[in-house]
């Protein structure tokens, strides 16, 4: 049996995580989006872009 763990995270924590991810990418959000759309990212940057999309989705709710 698999145990599922849920964690409540506030918008300030999500925003901090988003900022941390952007710093980790080494490029601006606009550049990250542009490269993401043209498939011109490193594997690490692609993973970061995907994580930022997930954070942005949660911030919209």
């Amino acid at each position: 049996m698999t145990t599922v763990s849920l964690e409540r995270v506030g918008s300030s924590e999500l925003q901090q995580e988003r900022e941390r991810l952007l710093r980790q990418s080494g490029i601006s959000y606009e550049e990250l989006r542009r490269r993401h759309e043209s498939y011109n990212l490193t594997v690490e940057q692609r993973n970061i872009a995907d994580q930022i999309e997930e954070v942005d989705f949660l911030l919209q709710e």
Side-chain angles (χ1 to χ4, degrees):
M1 176 181 265
T2 303
T3 302
V4 176
S5 176
L6 298 177
E7 181 179 341
R8 281 189 99 82
V9 179
S11 61
S12 63
E13 289 91 354
L14 288 170
Q15 191 62 40
Q16 289 174 359
E17 176 65 6
R18 187 179 191 280
E19 291 169 10
R20 184 192 67 76
L21 289 165
L22 276 174
R23 282 192 307 274
Q24 186 179 346
S25 76
I27 56 178
S28 70
Y29 178 71
E30 292 77 17
E31 182 68 13
L32 186 68
R33 294 294 308 152
R34 188 182 67 74
R35 290 185 189 183
H36 188 265
E37 291 170 1
S38 65
Y39 302 98
N40 191 22
L41 294 171
T42 66
V43 172
E44 181 180 5
Q45 289 171 330
R46 173 64 189 224
N47 289 335
I48 290 170
D50 291 342
Q51 289 176 53
I52 289 173
E53 284 182 353
E54 293 171 6
V55 168
D56 286 348
F57 174 79
L58 293 172
L59 285 169
Q60 291 176 5
E61 294 186 337

